Amino acid sequence: MSPFFSDPILALESSCDETSAAVVVGTEIRSNVVSSQVDLHKQWGGVVPEAAARAHVEAILPVIEDALAEAQITLNDIRAVAVTNRPGLIGALSVGVSAAKALAYSLKVPLLGVHHLEGHLLSTLAGRDGLPFPHIGLIVSGGHTELVEVTGYGEYRIVGQTRDDAAGEAFDKGARVLGLGYPGGKAIQEAGAAGNPKRYKLPQGLSGVATIDFSFSGLKTAVLRLAQSEGDNISVPDAAASLQETIVSVLVERAIRASQSLNSKALTLVGGVAANRLLRDRLAAACEQEGVEFITPPIDLCTDNAAMIGLAASVRLARGERDSMDLDCYATADL
Ligand code: KG4
Ligand code: ZN
């Protein structure tokens, strides 16, 4: 029997600042529509929860309509509704969960709540017929930096994590200090493209300590001090390149160490920061050297999207998992 749900799933994601709907069948993505709130939150330099929830309310029905149209199906063809219900901003999550409940109830099809991080981890299923186990998943986003040992679908053990800021936060905060705007990851990548990554020495966090955890809070302080001490003499391209180099080096070093110590067959790279070109290239090269498969989804599946929620749901629905109309949302939740 296939480990994947073979009928059309409508998946919704609204945990942070992207409203998204997708149609997934098995591991095939028929559509994946994302409405981003980046332009809205830019003015505040970060996501404002109340504004995010209101923007989800406006965007949710149009993205669902677009996802159905792109997949060339109608609501009546949908056989299950999946939705991110944890973790995330409560007001934002509840928009997706309410819409999913209303749809599942009126269509009389199963409803399933999905953990956002399981969605990121299983975004790697896109276009594949399965994943090798055990493998290590590196989840790097604006809110998360985790190394997860994956021994099967639904079998996750966190083996390393950040003790303070997430990797994406380090990019975002560094970009703010350097006057590069929000969100910072892409801006740092672009500004740093012509820079010298060895120009400024920045702290990696927890180096010299026997751990595969991360710490990025010292990095932000170091960039702030650098900006203050250099003043107008600072080279923004060199500072951006140095910041990117520091974050990428530590992510690659810890991920490879986790993979070696757990004898993993593959390393997956997921989450918004996985869109980073240098990180993708470095990790691919390191995996090749180690003889482990490197798996990362296309960039539009790295940042938040509903297709990854549909892929995770595809596994759980095929196992017969269902949620009731009492499905709730949670700001924090274990994987
Ligand atoms: O997964 P995601 O879309 O949302 C969360 O769940 O947080 O990740 C967003 C994060 C932001 O911190 C953003 O700066 C970072 O991903 N990001 C990047 C790049 N593109 C997005 N970081 C580094 N390089 C990039 N090219
Ligand atoms: Zn995410």
Side-chain angles (χ1 to χ4, degrees):
M1 216 183 83
S2 166
F4 307 111
F5 197 67
S6 54
D7 290 319
I9 303 167
L10 175 66
L12 306 180
E13 153 68 40
S14 68
S15 65
C16 189
D17 59 346
E18 327 276 2
T19 322
S20 180
V23 175
V24 170
V25 182
T27 59
E28 193 195 323
I29 298 166
R30 296 273 171 93
S31 64
N32 186 27
V33 176
V34 180
S35 165
S36 176
Q37 303 176 6
V38 162
D39 289 340
L40 170 68
H41 298 292
K42 235 176 208 160
Q43 57 187 308
W44 301 298
V47 178
V48 175
E50 172 63 25
R54 284 171 182 235
H56 285 306
V57 171
E58 283 171 20
I60 193 87
L61 292 179
V63 297
I64 291 170
E65 279 170 11
D66 289 354
L68 292 170
E70 226 172 83
Q72 297 185 324
I73 61 172
T74 68
L75 267 183
N76 290 327
D77 301 313
I78 294 299
R79 292 289 171 271
V81 181
V83 62
T84 309
N85 75 321
R86 66 198 193 281
L89 304 169
I90 286 290
L93 285 167
S94 62
V95 176
V97 169
S98 306
K101 281 184 183 176
L103 285 167
Y105 183 78
S106 60
L107 296 171
K108 299 187 175 60
V109 298
L111 169 73
L112 189 76
V114 175
H115 194 294
H116 183 77
L117 293 189
E118 181 171 43
H120 275 303
L121 283 172
L122 298 188
S123 62
T124 46
L125 273 173
R128 295 175 63 104
D129 53 14
L131 292 169
F133 300 116
H135 71 252
I136 294 290
L138 172 60
I139 308 174
V140 271
S141 72
H144 294 273
T145 305
E146 262 118 25
L147 281 163
V148 185
E149 184 187 27
V150 185
T151 46
Y153 297 117
E155 293 168 29
Y156 311 115
R157 186 171 71 95
I158 293 176
V159 294
Q161 61 195 314
T162 183
R163 296 188 183 173
D164 38 61
D165 291 353
E169 239 175 313
F171 274 107
D172 294 339
K173 288 178 175 174
R176 195 182 307 174
V177 171
L178 296 175
L180 293 171
Y182 166 88
K186 204 164 171 226
I188 292 279
Q189 174 172 306
E190 284 164 6
N196 173 6
K198 296 205 177 102
R199 169 86 180 269
Y200 301 115
K201 183 105 189 86
L202 297 167
Q204 287 206 332
L206 300 178
S207 48
V209 183
T211 180
I212 45 174
D213 278 351
F214 305 90
S215 169
F216 291 111
S217 63
L219 193 51
K220 180 195 66 181
T221 316
V223 177
L224 191 60
R225 285 220 191 94
L226 177 72
Q228 284 165 345
S229 66
E230 295 284 305
D232 289 344
N233 295 327
I234 195 167
S235 157
V236 172
D238 290 353
S242 302
L243 176 66
Q244 176 175 251
E245 174 67 31
T246 308
I247 299 170
V248 167
S249 307
V250 73
L251 289 173
V252 171
E253 188 267 328
R254 307 266 148 96
I256 293 295
R257 206 136 48 78
S259 170
Q260 286 168 338
S261 70
L262 295 162
N263 265 325
S264 91
K265 291 189 180 145
L267 215 150
T268 71
L269 172 65
V270 299
V273 180
N276 187 268
R277 194 72 261 164
L278 185 71
L279 179 58
R280 291 169 91 85
D281 292 348
R282 283 275 177 86
L283 211 47
C287 284
E288 196 178 343
Q289 205 173 357
E290 291 294 316
V292 299
E293 189 182 355
F294 175 62
I295 305 170
T296 190
I299 285 170
D300 58 335
L301 294 180
C302 289
T303 43
D304 288 350
N305 68 89
M308 67 184 196
I309 303 305
L311 291 167
S314 185
V315 174
R316 293 193 176 271
L317 288 163
R319 291 176 174 178
E321 291 185 33
R322 309 286 186 258
D323 279 308
S324 74
M325 282 295 147
D326 292 334
L327 181 70
D328 213 338
C329 16
Y330 304 90
T332 57
D334 288 340
L335 183 62

